[in-house]
């Protein structure tokens, strides 16, 4: 691609050396951070400790703009390691943090799992708002329908100032009071 393009890459877990050819370009890395070894094993099938993800984040941040993604309830709807990630980022702040929320997906091993409780997601956003001085985003991956209607307003109040694909009534409330 031409160097005039900004790139946003979702790279997974890989050796940062593989991206050396992009150094000096306008690149943003969207990086999933996972703070629980059992979750890493169960979801990704990898035998890495959370510290390996932390080191990958630090290594990539030396070369590129990195926006961590934190999926609340990634382990089949169970919260496991999300606070660890927020604490990590409090010591090594990113330009922004994107919150995603586990959504049960038909045809996957997690289809019968439940999304995390809305209050738990909001508590984590609130914690991040207290500990981080960066922008907080609520990304597009989160359950739709009633869940989104219950999550978006309190997530906004807790500090998520970017809400991707917001629930329509929430938008109307923001625009018209």
């Amino acid at each position: 691609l031409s160097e005039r393009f900004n790139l946003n890459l979702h790279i997974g877990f890989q050796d940062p050396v593989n991206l050396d050819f992009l150094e000096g370009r306008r690149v943003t890395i969207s990086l999933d951070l996972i703070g629980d070894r059992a979750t890493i094993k169960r979801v990704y099938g990898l035998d890495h400790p959370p510290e390996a993800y932390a080191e990958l984040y630090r290594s990539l941040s030396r070369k590129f703009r990195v926006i961590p993604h934190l999926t609340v309830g990634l382990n089949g709807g169970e919260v496991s390691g999300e606070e660890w990630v927020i604490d990590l980022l409090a010591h090594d702040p990113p330009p922004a943090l994107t919150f995603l929320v586990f959504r049960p997906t038909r045809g996957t091993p997690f289809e019968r799992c439940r999304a995390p409780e809305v209050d738990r997601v909001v508590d984590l956003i609130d914690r991040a708002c207290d500990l981080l001085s960066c922008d907080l985003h609520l990304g597009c991956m989160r359950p739709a329908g009633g869940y989104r209607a219950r999550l978006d307003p309190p997530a906004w109040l807790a500090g998520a100032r970017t809400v991707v694909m917001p629930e329509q009534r929430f938008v109307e409330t923001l625009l018209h009071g």
Side-chain angles (χ1 to χ4, degrees), residues 44-83:
Y44 293 109
L46 300 173
D47 192 26
H48 298 310
E51 294 80 14
Y53 280 83
E55 182 49 41
L56 178 61
Y57 165 71
R58 286 188 288 269
S59 179
L60 289 167
S61 294
R62 288 191 284 274
K63 298 179 182 184
F64 305 107
R65 181 175 186 262
V66 178
I67 306 296
H69 286 54
L70 177 57
T71 302
V72 179
L74 180 62
N75 192 3
E78 299 298 320
V79 173
S80 55
E82 288 83 345
E83 289 183 0

Side-chain angles (χ1 to χ4, degrees), residues 116-166:
E117 294 295 325
V118 166
D119 290 346
R120 189 67 178 111
V121 177
V122 172
D123 288 345
L124 289 163
I125 293 170
D126 187 54
R127 178 182 175 86
C129 189
D130 287 345
L131 295 177
L132 304 174
S133 59
C134 65
D135 292 334
L136 301 179
H137 305 187
L138 183 58
C140 62
M141 191 184 90
R142 62 190 192 281
Y147 188 96
R148 196 169 286 210
R150 291 188 314 276
L151 174 61
D152 291 2
W156 174 268
L157 292 172
R161 287 298 176 261
T162 299
V163 179
V164 178
M165 296 171 42

